[in-house]
Amino acid sequence: MTTTPALRRLDRERDGRAAAPIRIAHLGPGNFFRAHQAWYTEHAPDAADWGIAAFAGRRGAVARELAAQDGLYTLLVRAADGDHPEVVSAVAAVSAELDDWRRCFARPELALVTTTVTEAGYRRGPDGGLDRTDPDVTADIAALRSDGIAADVVTAPGKLVLGLAVRRGDGLPGVAVVPCDNVPDNGAMAARVVGELATAADPDLAAWITEHVTFVTTMVDRITPRTTDDDRDAVHDRAGVDDPVPVVTEPYVEWVLSGEFRHGRPRWEDVGARFVDDVVPWEHRKLWLLNGSHSLMAYAGTLRGHETVEQAISDPVVRGWVEQWWDDAARNLPLPLEEIAAYRAALLERYANPRIRHLLAQIAADGSQKVPIRILPTVRADLAAGHVPTGAARVLAAWVCHLRGRGAPVADVAAEEFTALAAGDLDDAVSRVLTRLGADDPRLLAVVTDLARELGG
């Protein structure tokens, strides 16, 4: 990358608006948060009242660079007609320090906490609850038991419990916890892992959380690829600034939320967010149609030599597989057919955007966390109805091939376990993986094995 010496860094006084008072804490200041929740807050009409303190899980480059720019960054929206940069000012503070996290939760005006820590970050076990066998979880519980609010914790649930312990200890009101990761019923999921960790550390704190803290369920959607040096160069050329942490995203954005905000929130609905009684239909639509087809392309598309979503969806074979998967998933969506058809058409348009370089290898990561929630609900529903969904079975087959070293490289929190299950004879490998998923139906086994063999597994 060539950096022009004359280019300047972002400066809040010159490039952004004044930092708003911090009323939101956010855990995980990655690209998606900055393209989605921070974007909604930036554009809310009451943005001047709602500053975000963003906390990184470790002292990484993104946190350092964001802090050096006082939280400012360039959002580069890549549309068919070109790039549209804007400077986002919603992030008022950035830190990776646990003491700053404690101080943030000690603010009386703090009203809500958002999280984007990926599916794996919630440290769940096979039953969906807190993984008490995780050594980091065990260490967090022990630290909270012995040191209370002085505990040195490392996990996302541990940090949430620590922050809530600070509020309880200071006699402050609770907050709304708003998870924004692609996990079904993510509000209840977050409530469970936080509640179980708090119960293990301090039952009285767990009771206080139950009474004073709300957990909001969300569905989030905006394709946000990993930033590249070419993207940074585009910001140099288009906006005339040297921003080392820009975010590239698509024009489309969606947010559906359900739950209580007892202590207020930004007017996100004025920017298009929807507040509903039940998120589940939209959650399933997005998880199955968008995220499920992403998984299919990540595993099957890379087997055909593709690197990006745009390349994969331009392949008639892969597009046919995607359409077949959508047919399977759509049978189980409780939404009007015309709404499903419109969403599918919008997805094809989004995927075909040549200016969004969404890497399939990035999407392929942590399949052990993603495949069960994106694909298995359709598999189970169709098996119960008496037939095997071929499109869904192909996703499972492609994932098995991936675990066997085909296509995208394996980068998974459970890589050791699942690559071992997928090793050796193909028939046995498929059987072991499906058994581990709790989907060892002989009808499914036969179809997945045949498809894996066709894919070169």
Side-chain angles (χ1 to χ4, degrees):
M1 182 181 71
T2 301
T3 303
T4 304
L7 292 176
R8 59 180 179 78
R9 295 291 293 270
L10 291 172
D11 174 82
R12 188 173 286 274
E13 184 174 347
R14 179 173 45 199
D15 300 303
R17 56 180 171 79
I22 294 171
R23 298 185 65 194
I24 304 172
H26 178 79
L27 187 58
N31 285 5
F32 183 77
F33 153 72
R34 290 186 285 138
H36 193 274
Q37 297 100 66
W39 179 88
Y40 272 99
T41 303
E42 175 73 13
H43 289 272
D46 53 352
D49 300 325
W50 290 93
I52 303 170
F55 291 88
R58 56 189 182 277
R59 297 175 183 87
V62 170
R64 288 196 304 271
E65 298 290 3
L66 273 176
Q69 296 184 160
D70 201 19
L72 298 184
Y73 60 93
T74 308
L75 185 68
L76 194 65
V77 179
R78 291 214 146 127
D81 62 350
D83 291 344
H84 302 275
E86 69 166 303
V87 174
V88 176
S89 304
V91 178
V94 184
S95 178
E97 301 298 331
L98 205 53
D99 284 343
D100 290 335
W101 178 258
R102 279 184 270 261
R103 281 190 282 268
C104 183
F105 274 78
R107 290 174 173 268
E109 65 273 22
L110 189 73
L112 57 105
V113 183
T114 57
T115 59
T116 48
V117 296
T118 76
E119 294 93 333
Y122 294 98
R123 307 296 180 113
R124 295 183 300 156
D127 68 347
L130 185 71
D131 184 0
R132 294 290 297 271
T133 68
D134 185 315
D136 288 337
V137 169
T138 302
D140 279 1
I141 292 171
L144 287 161
R145 281 175 179 167
S146 63
D147 301 328
I149 62 172
D152 185 8
V153 296
V154 297
T155 70
K159 290 178 180 179
L160 290 169
V161 170
L162 174 65
L164 297 172
V166 169
R167 294 193 73 76
R168 172 178 174 249
D170 288 354
L172 297 172
V175 294
V177 177
V178 188
C180 297
D181 289 289
N182 290 313
V183 180
D185 201 5
N186 54 21
M189 175 274 299
R192 181 175 177 184
V193 295
V194 168
E196 290 180 357
L197 196 149
T199 298
D202 179 354
D204 290 339
L205 173 61
W208 182 89
I209 291 172
T210 299
E211 182 177 355
H212 295 278
V213 177
T214 61
F215 290 83
V216 177
T217 298
T218 69
M219 187 283 289
V220 297
D221 192 358
R222 194 171 208 183
I223 294 172
T224 309
R226 183 175 289 126
T227 304
T228 67
D229 285 344
D230 287 343
D231 297 328
R232 295 180 185 91
D233 285 340
V235 171
H236 294 174
D237 297 340
R238 185 71 175 81
V241 294
D242 179 17
D243 182 355
V245 285
V247 179
V248 172
T249 193
E250 63 172 337
Y252 185 95
V253 61
E254 187 175 23
W255 200 4
V256 184
L257 306 94
S258 177
E260 290 184 83
F261 294 83
R262 295 175 184 169
H263 306 288
R265 58 168 176 77
R267 286 169 53 189
W268 291 320
E269 66 271 29
D270 290 4
V271 198
R274 285 191 282 186
F275 292 84
V276 300
D277 293 331
D278 183 8
V279 169
V280 170
W282 290 277
E283 178 184 83
H284 287 175
R285 183 198 67 180
K286 196 261 180 170
L287 273 171
W288 300 349
L289 299 187
L290 187 150
N291 298 121
S293 61
H294 267 176
S295 289
L296 170 59
M297 288 185 284
Y299 304 129
T302 54
L303 289 172
R304 291 179 60 82
H306 303 305
E307 294 184 357
T308 67
V309 168
E310 186 267 334
Q311 291 171 1
I313 204 64
S314 299
D315 179 340
V317 174
V318 176
R319 175 166 171 168
W321 291 344
V322 168
E323 295 275 13
Q324 188 178 36
W325 156 245
W326 282 346
D327 289 343
D328 289 347
R331 285 195 295 271
N332 302 291
L333 280 175
L335 289 169
L337 293 178
E338 59 272 19
E339 181 170 339
I340 295 173
Y343 189 69
R344 288 173 61 159
L347 286 178
L348 288 175
E349 182 178 352
R350 295 164 67 188
Y351 291 171
N353 184 348
R355 309 194 69 255
I356 294 291
R357 184 173 169 78
H358 201 178
L359 294 175
L360 296 175
Q362 175 188 353
I363 297 168
D366 290 329
S368 65
Q369 306 290 306
K370 297 172 180 176
V371 168
I373 61 177
R374 296 177 179 186
I375 309 302
L376 290 188
T378 293
V379 169
R380 292 187 174 119
D382 277 9
L383 288 175
H387 58 272
V388 179
T390 304
R394 183 174 286 105
V395 185
L396 297 175
W399 184 48
V400 171
C401 293
H402 163 74
L403 293 171
R404 290 167 65 82
R406 297 356 178 226
V410 176
D412 197 300
V413 291
E416 183 176 357
E417 176 191 5
F418 276 92
T419 55
L421 291 173
D425 177 77
L426 180 62
D427 293 55
D428 293 340
V430 173
S431 178
R432 286 191 296 266
V433 171
L434 293 184
T435 298
R436 173 63 176 78
L437 294 178
D440 51 341
D441 185 289
R443 298 167 296 172
L444 180 65
L445 174 62
V447 175
V448 172
T449 303
D450 287 345
L451 290 171
R453 190 165 282 114
E454 288 178 14
L455 289 168

